[in-house]
Amino acid sequence: MGGRENYRNPCLTMHQPWASLLVHGIKRIEGRSWPAPIRGRLWIHAAGKVPEPETIRAMEEFYREIYAVHGITDIKFPEHYPVSRLLGCVEVVGCLRREELVCWKDVPEAVRLEGLTDFCWLCEHPQKLLVPFEMRGYQRVYNLEKRIFEAAVRGLSPIEGPQPVKFPLPDPRDPFSLKPGSLALDHVGSRASEMNKPPSLSAAIAGARAAATQFSKDHEQRSLEFENNTVQKVKVSDLNETKHLESTSTELNGRVPSVSNWRPHNRNQADDREEDNRAHYVGNDSRQHQHRVRELNETGAPKILAAALRGLSLQ
């Protein structure tokens, strides 16, 4: 995806605790395996899965450690991590590959340490909703419904994160100029940065990676289980439909003449057939059954068989 899609009010569904950390200005980099398709305001929606306490602890410890690199220890984490809610928005000003971000000396080291994924979306100006909206989310980036947008835009409140950052775009007049490959890589500086990390920071980064990796595995497993259950339900539905058709066909076989025995006949033959069918309905020679037998002979078997194939019962 390359940023040319026609998004009016783009929204991204994220899982907790990452969604709230981004809206509260603690998280400045949104990591994805695909490049950001938009520039500008991006609404953030929290998915429906309740985060595990271990995941919350791992991510909060990660941000404590990376902010401590700059001597920042007073971090006010969210009191709650709501789910199935529209939380607020951020401004996406660019997108870089991880290799570029970790070598970008013009941004704080704590920001560079956030680069843990293939593509890093650069986020500024977080704003949160005073009252998060309950709503359903979708995959990847999608347009926020107009009625929700019109209500949400009036309830935004700016957020001051622990260390607000202004990403220096190469060309301020063109926000799309910051593309993967636009920054020179400094592999020597990157290796030095890796070696100088204190043990507590390394442990926090490893914890954050493990939390994200485990979450991805759980998400993939749930998706696979959902697909298998869906396929199984379809198979059961098909089986039930087949049984219904077989049952209907069996029921009709007692009332419809066999195709192999069907032959064109004149009115006299029809009278003979009427007598045969009257004998079939032993003990019941009502006018209704006589009329039904006459209808079978006059209309022909193909019409009756077609009705049977459609799963219709003979009335």
Side-chain angles (χ1 to χ4, degrees):
M1 302 179 72
R4 298 178 181 177
E5 290 78 0
N6 184 25
Y7 293 110
R8 297 181 301 276
N9 302 300
C11 184
L12 177 68
T13 292
M14 298 174 56
H15 290 277
Q16 293 285 30
W18 296 275
S20 286
L21 292 172
L22 184 62
V23 170
H24 280 74
I26 298 171
K27 175 178 169 68
R28 284 79 50 95
I29 300 296
E30 168 54 16
R32 293 278 151 169
S33 60
W34 37 282
I38 61 104
R39 300 294 186 273
R41 175 185 282 169
L42 176 66
W43 292 90
I44 304 300
H45 171 260
K49 183 181 184 299
V50 177
E52 298 290 340
E54 295 79 8
T55 302
I56 295 176
R57 284 195 294 270
M59 296 312 302
E60 290 183 350
E61 183 61 24
F62 168 71
Y63 281 101
R64 285 192 187 95
E65 289 295 332
I66 66 173
Y67 277 106
V69 171
H70 301 284
I72 300 173
T73 57
D74 184 18
I75 304 176
K76 296 180 180 179
F77 290 101
E79 296 181 4
H80 306 286
Y81 292 91
V83 297
S84 300
R85 297 290 191 278
L86 183 67
L87 304 181
C89 63
V90 295
E91 295 286 328
V92 178
V93 299
C95 179
L96 296 176
R97 290 188 178 273
R98 176 183 178 275
E99 294 82 1
E100 296 170 311
L101 178 65
V102 298
C103 301
W104 197 7
K105 302 301 183 181
D106 293 331
V107 297
E109 183 178 358
V111 175
R112 283 178 269 150
L113 290 171
E114 288 190 63
L116 302 177
T117 55
D118 293 340
F119 290 95
C120 303
W121 302 12
L122 314 181
C123 301
E124 298 179 354
H125 307 304
Q127 299 182 78
K128 74 171 186 176
L129 285 171
L130 298 177
V131 180
F133 290 3
E134 183 175 4
M135 60 168 277
R136 176 186 177 184
Y138 301 91
Q139 293 184 347
R140 299 181 78 91
V141 177
Y142 54 93
N143 275 319
L144 200 63
E145 292 183 27
K146 182 179 179 181
R147 61 182 181 83
I148 296 179
F149 165 75
E150 291 175 347
V153 76
R154 295 193 295 267
L156 289 173
S157 176
I159 293 295
E160 184 78 10
Q163 188 184 29
V165 61
K166 179 69 175 177
F167 292 99
L169 301 178
D171 182 2
R173 297 168 299 179
D174 181 13
F176 292 93
S177 65
L178 187 56
K179 301 176 182 178
S182 62
L183 300 177
L185 300 182
D186 183 1
H187 296 287
V188 176
S190 178
R191 288 195 298 269
S193 177
E194 292 285 342
M195 291 186 296
N196 293 333
K197 292 176 183 175
S200 59
L201 176 58
S202 298
I205 293 175
R209 288 183 183 277
T213 301
Q214 183 60 44
F215 179 85
S216 298
K217 290 181 179 179
D218 292 343
H219 182 67
E220 291 176 359
Q221 181 63 29
R222 287 193 300 273
S223 298
L224 181 59
E225 291 175 355
F226 175 79
E227 292 176 0
N228 290 339
N229 289 338
T230 301
V231 172
Q232 186 65 26
K233 289 179 180 178
V234 171
K235 290 181 178 179
V236 171
S237 176
D238 290 344
L239 178 60
N240 292 338
E241 181 66 20
T242 300
K243 290 181 178 178
H244 171 70
L245 291 175
E246 291 176 350
S247 176
T248 303
S249 177
T250 301
E251 180 182 353
L252 288 173
N253 283 340
R255 293 183 257 176
V256 181
S258 171
V259 176
S260 60
N261 297 328
W262 191 269
R263 295 290 186 272
H265 43 267
N266 55 29
R267 185 60 187 173
N268 292 332
Q269 291 174 322
D271 294 337
D272 294 338
R273 181 62 60 85
E274 181 176 346
E275 293 297 330
D276 293 338
N277 279 281
R278 183 180 294 110
H280 177 75
Y281 295 107
V282 178
N284 190 346
D285 58 351
S286 65
R287 291 178 178 272
Q288 179 181 1
H289 285 150
Q290 293 179 33
H291 175 72
R292 178 173 296 175
V293 173
R294 184 178 296 107
E295 183 184 40
L296 286 174
N297 289 290
E298 292 177 351
T299 59
K303 181 177 180 180
I304 305 302
L305 293 176
L309 292 175
R310 290 196 303 269
L312 301 177
S313 60
L314 188 61
Q315 299 297 326

